[in-house]
Amino acid sequence: MPEVQGGENLLFLTDEQLRQGIEAMFFAYRGFTADPDRILSGMAYGRAHHRAVHFIARAPGTTVNNLLNILGVTKQSLNRVLRTLVDDGLVDSRVGKSDKRERNLYLTDEGMELERKLSDAQRARMRAAYRAAGPEAVSGFRQVLEAMMDTEMRRQYYKIRDAKS
Amino acid sequence: MPEVQGGENLLFLTDEQLRQGIEAMFFAYRGFTADPDRILSGMAYGRAHHRAVHFIARAPGTTVNNLLNILGVTKQSLNRVLRTLVDDGLVDSRVGKSDKRERNLYLTDEGMELERKLSDAQRARMRAAYRAAGPEAVSGFRQVLEAMMDTEMRRQYYKIRDAKS
DNA sequence: CTTGGAATGTCAACAAAGCTGACGTATTGT
DNA sequence: ACAATACGTCAGCTTTGTTGACATTCCAAG
């Protein structure tokens, strides 16, 4: 059998395989966001609020600028979301201690309650998927996702992850 | 060492691991859409057009209703996108042969050209990620993604995938 | 101590892409 | 004949993103 693929089995790199991966990402992401979206619909919040709340919960005291980098939106867009959360008493925005231009963001008790509700739903789905697929699959899943990120996003991802160890 | 986890290693199911998976999905999806988005910005098209073009390319002759089910949007939303694509000569909408109420959708040559451009970019990233992670990781990646889909979406996914074998 | 630049906030206007509801038309199946 | 289906469309609304302009506050360098 001729080694047309450089001596390795690269069948997983055929266009058809790649297209299937693309479609899997598309359909899976729908599932990924479905449960939080369901919870948020009916409240005055949307996916953007979920993202803000998630990363504030994850890195309490984070600055607006930092959140901007993580979320990759404009400050005007984030500000609109943040303002409603602050006004509604879910997020506390405190003037920075060392640098008073900065605002450090924290969830209030009410904010934490919403975060937990959203997170519980999303983690439940992730847990079910992980459990169904098994530890080895999970490892592969994470490897491919990390390789798919833009360099700057991967940096952000590691930064958050490593702060938790 | 006590078997507090039912005899298996379930460390990959800790809340921290699940949160990392959630964030990996978030950051990776950004990368996943980044290249097509870049190509489309500047044209009068967006991500919604990309999705329509992708699935029409994937299942030529598909009906509007079928596309609606795959994309999970309202017909008004899809119609707006489809109309611009037809008007611009990227998509051909032909009256159904057996059932004249239906419209069968096809890409024109110009439509195929755009699809190829978008697909090339997205597949290049996917290929790089797959290559970096290796075949075993890719298998795990796919398993977790499939387990994460809603049942109906998984059905759609298999349907498209199996039509290509 | 003044001044330039950085971080933040805000106003206005706009665009993409989703939604609901209502309605019209052609076609099909009962 | 009539109900249901597939599609298209009008109108209006929401969420979430965008630019651009401008004010405020503050740090730090000259």
Side-chain angles (χ1 to χ4, degrees):
Chain A
M1 185 176 172
E3 297 285 353
V4 290
Q5 286 159 336
E8 299 171 43
N9 173 19
L10 297 178
L11 264 184
F12 71 115
L13 288 172
T14 62
D15 277 7
E16 174 57 25
Q17 287 291 320
L18 295 169
R19 277 182 189 274
Q20 286 177 20
I22 287 167
E23 282 157 13
M25 271 300 274
F26 172 71
F27 288 120
Y29 199 77
R30 293 262 296 280
F32 174 69
T33 56
D35 303 319
D37 281 357
R38 233 188 314 275
I39 292 171
L40 289 163
S41 86
M43 300 198 222
Y45 301 129
R47 208 176 285 181
H49 301 83
H50 179 198
R51 291 200 281 258
V53 163
H54 173 96
F55 284 107
I56 294 172
R58 194 75 165 134
T62 187
T63 64
V64 172
N65 227 6
N66 189 28
L67 207 49
L68 240 35
N69 289 330
I70 290 170
L71 298 176
V73 298
T74 59
K75 64 176 176 174
Q76 293 90 332
S77 196
L78 174 59
N79 191 255
R80 178 170 37 203
V81 165
L82 231 37
R83 189 173 23 186
T84 69
L85 291 172
V86 170
D87 288 352
D88 294 354
L90 302 193
V91 167
D92 195 6
S93 172
R94 302 182 206 159
V95 171
K97 199 177 171 186
S98 60
D99 186 338
K100 291 177 191 159
R101 289 169 302 182
E102 298 183 341
R103 300 289 181 278
N104 295 113
L105 303 170
Y106 301 88
L107 292 186
T108 63
D109 289 348
E110 201 184 340
M112 287 184 203
E113 191 186 327
L114 176 61
E115 197 281 330
R116 194 185 42 70
K117 201 182 299 184
L118 296 171
S119 182
D120 280 354
Q122 200 161 34
R123 272 184 288 114
R125 182 179 293 250
M126 194 63 77
R127 187 179 300 112
Y130 274 21
R131 193 188 299 274
E136 307 231 343
V138 167
S139 166
F141 168 72
R142 295 274 299 269
Q143 283 177 60
V144 174
L145 288 188
E146 286 180 27
M148 208 182 303
M149 297 174 195
D150 275 344
T151 315
E152 175 57 19
M153 289 301 103
R154 187 158 45 238
R155 224 184 52 75
Q156 296 283 354
Y157 170 71
Y158 287 150
K159 190 176 149 197
I160 294 168
R161 191 194 60 177
D162 295 344
K164 289 290 164 184
S165 55
Chain B
M1 185 178 171
E3 297 285 355
V4 290
Q5 287 161 334
E8 297 172 46
N9 173 18
L10 297 179
L11 265 184
F12 71 113
L13 288 173
T14 64
D15 278 7
E16 174 57 27
Q17 287 292 319
L18 295 169
R19 276 183 191 276
Q20 285 177 21
I22 287 168
E23 282 158 13
M25 270 300 274
F26 172 70
F27 288 120
Y29 199 77
R30 292 262 297 280
F32 174 69
T33 57
D35 302 320
D37 281 358
R38 232 188 316 275
I39 293 172
L40 288 163
S41 86
M43 298 199 225
Y45 301 130
R47 209 176 285 182
H49 301 83
H50 179 196
R51 291 200 280 259
V53 163
H54 173 97
F55 285 106
I56 295 172
R58 196 71 166 137
T62 188
T63 63
V64 173
N65 231 358
N66 188 29
L67 206 48
L68 240 35
N69 289 329
I70 290 171
L71 298 176
V73 296
T74 59
K75 65 175 177 174
Q76 292 91 330
S77 197
L78 175 58
N79 190 254
R80 178 171 36 200
V81 166
L82 230 37
R83 189 171 27 191
T84 69
L85 291 172
V86 170
D87 288 353
D88 295 353
L90 302 193
V91 167
D92 195 6
S93 172
R94 302 182 206 159
V95 171
K97 200 175 171 189
S98 59
D99 186 338
K100 290 176 193 160
R101 290 171 305 179
E102 297 182 341
R103 300 287 182 277
N104 296 113
L105 302 171
Y106 301 88
L107 293 185
T108 62
D109 289 347
E110 200 184 340
M112 288 184 203
E113 191 184 326
L114 175 60
E115 197 282 328
R116 195 185 41 70
K117 202 182 300 182
L118 296 170
S119 182
D120 281 353
Q122 201 161 35
R123 272 183 287 113
R125 181 179 294 250
M126 194 64 77
R127 187 180 300 113
Y130 274 20
R131 193 187 300 274
E136 306 229 343
V138 167
S139 166
F141 168 72
R142 295 275 299 268
Q143 282 177 61
V144 174
L145 288 187
E146 286 180 29
M148 206 182 305
M149 296 174 196
D150 275 343
T151 314
E152 176 57 21
M153 287 303 102
R154 188 158 44 237
R155 223 184 53 75
Q156 296 282 353
Y157 171 70
Y158 287 151
K159 190 176 150 197
I160 293 167
R161 191 194 61 178
D162 295 343
K164 290 291 167 181
S165 54

